[in-house]
Amino acid sequence: MSSLLCYALPALGSYVLLSIFFLRRPRLLHTPWTPAFRPHLAAHRGGSGERLENTMEAIMNSMAQRAELLELDCQLTRDGVVVVSHDENLSRQSGLNRDVGSLDFEELPLYKEELEVYFSPGHFARGSDRHMVRLEDLFQRFPQMPMSVEVKSNNEELIHKIAGLVRQFDRSQITIWASEKSSVMKKCKAANPEMPLSFTIPRSFWVLLLYYLGLLPFVRIPEKFFLCFLPTIINRTYFPFSCSGLNRLAAVVTKWAIMRKSLIQHLEARGVQVIFWCLNEESDFEVAFNLGATGVMTDYPTALRRYLDTHGVPAQPPKAEASSVFLPEK
């Protein structure tokens, strides 16, 4: 037993030292991704705290605040139109208990006159524009604006239509595939492999596991964006569980697991951009940027722009964003 320990302990010690060394210096093992854009200000649902979510008015308002990324969710209508809508069912947004896929585009109802801001409970957004927009209209109107397109359902027709629109408007390098599900992301990647990927929920857990095992520095990362909630918002503005006790537990556990500056710095050093969502208060902006994140996703682009300008963080020029390319991590 003692002879085994004589070999095991030095080997374990060497492994720990190597892991820490390469965690801090990942570029000795990997060529980092070169980003086409680096967004500090990402507008959640187009900026859903200041105007009605996902409307052209909300997006124009976010553009006026020099947003550098639009976060969007897409659904497919019965007549095959890709529309920007967070929910498949229209009850919350319009009061009509029908799915988007059961209606033609021209039949889609108007949004309600006001909608509660999901990540700011008790606050409501209003606006004069209540129309749902087509993804194609956004691509046409904002050809150089980076966008994150989330696909929530395993709908192959929707995935292929999004991929086709991205190719049609020649914006593969500035349109991010996003999905919580690895099965959906696999189909997204197959439909347009040139688009950058974000982490799914299972892949996020996998990265955390590798980090705590000390293996992360030695594993290739194909994703280019880590879109992650900031644990400090749980039980304050984000309530993932109906039970308050579970929310408190989740806040403690995820804060311990995710808010590791060495993890964020390692990902950033490898060209994986970390964007925390969905932050609507200045104290949370401060926490995210102090951790080393690239950017913040918010419902209130005006508040985040004020913070960025006050702290001297410049907006990214759209033309430069669209002209760069991603280089493969080796």
Side-chain angles (χ1 to χ4, degrees), residues 31-293:
T31 301
W33 299 110
T34 301
F37 58 96
R38 286 185 61 81
H40 304 305
L41 195 168
H44 180 244
R45 302 188 195 179
S48 61
E50 299 177 6
R51 300 291 188 276
L52 293 175
E53 64 184 58
N54 292 322
T55 59
M56 190 65 75
E57 183 182 26
I59 291 166
M60 291 297 294
N61 177 68
S62 295
M63 295 292 287
Q65 298 304 322
R66 291 171 286 151
E68 296 145 337
L69 176 68
L70 298 176
E71 187 274 339
L72 310 169
D73 307 274
C74 288
Q75 308 289 345
L76 192 68
T77 64
R78 184 172 56 193
D79 54 344
V81 177
V82 180
V83 294
V84 180
S85 173
H86 181 272
D87 301 352
E88 167 64 14
N89 187 274
L90 295 163
S91 295
R92 178 189 65 86
Q93 298 171 172
S94 69
L96 178 66
N97 188 21
R98 293 282 298 275
D99 288 346
V100 173
S102 70
L103 299 170
D104 291 345
F105 177 70
E106 296 298 332
E107 298 173 332
L108 293 174
L110 296 175
Y111 282 116
K112 295 176 182 177
E113 293 184 358
E114 64 175 22
L115 291 173
E116 186 172 19
V117 183
Y118 184 81
F119 288 98
S120 291
H123 294 78
F124 292 83
R126 300 168 182 82
S128 57
D129 181 9
R130 297 166 56 195
H131 294 87
M132 203 173 290
V133 298
R134 302 185 304 170
L135 184 63
E136 181 177 359
D137 294 333
L138 296 184
F139 284 176
Q140 191 165 27
R141 189 157 184 176
F142 310 109
Q144 293 185 327
M145 183 64 183
M147 300 182 194
S148 171
V149 178
E150 182 170 354
V151 181
K152 296 184 177 298
S153 61
N154 200 344
N155 186 328
E156 292 194 34
E157 184 182 1
L158 171 62
I159 291 169
H160 283 281
K161 281 185 177 290
I162 292 172
L165 285 170
V166 170
R167 287 196 182 94
Q168 178 184 336
F169 288 91
D170 192 23
R171 50 177 296 121
S172 292
Q173 295 170 25
I174 60 169
T175 309
I176 305 167
W177 280 125
S179 181
E180 294 181 348
K181 303 173 183 177
S182 293
S183 59
V184 174
M185 185 61 77
K186 183 177 180 181
K187 293 179 179 179
C188 291
K189 182 180 179 181
N192 189 335
E194 297 177 1
M195 293 168 58
L197 308 177
S198 61
F199 280 88
T200 61
I201 289 178
R203 285 284 297 166
S204 298
F205 281 117
W206 179 241
V207 162
L208 288 173
L209 178 62
L210 292 175
Y211 170 73
Y212 284 105
L213 290 176
L215 294 170
L216 185 58
F218 310 107
V219 177
R220 181 180 178 273
I221 300 176
E223 294 88 353
K224 303 177 181 74
F225 288 90
F226 186 54
L227 310 178
C228 180
F229 71 91
L230 188 71
T232 56
I233 70 173
I234 294 181
N235 220 35
R236 287 176 46 237
T237 62
Y238 178 40
F239 302 89
F241 304 107
S242 57
C243 174
S244 61
L246 283 177
N247 283 323
R248 286 195 295 270
L249 178 63
V252 172
V253 172
T254 56
K255 183 177 180 180
W256 177 85
I258 297 173
M259 293 179 65
R260 299 289 178 174
K261 200 166 187 176
S262 58
L263 170 62
I264 307 305
Q265 289 175 337
H266 178 82
L267 293 174
E268 289 280 345
R270 292 178 66 171
V272 179
Q273 299 187 60
V274 179
I275 300 175
F276 282 114
W277 56 263
C278 179
L279 314 185
N280 293 333
E281 299 177 7
E282 185 170 320
S283 60
D284 293 322
F285 303 160
E286 189 82 19
V287 170
F289 286 113
N290 283 342
L291 282 171

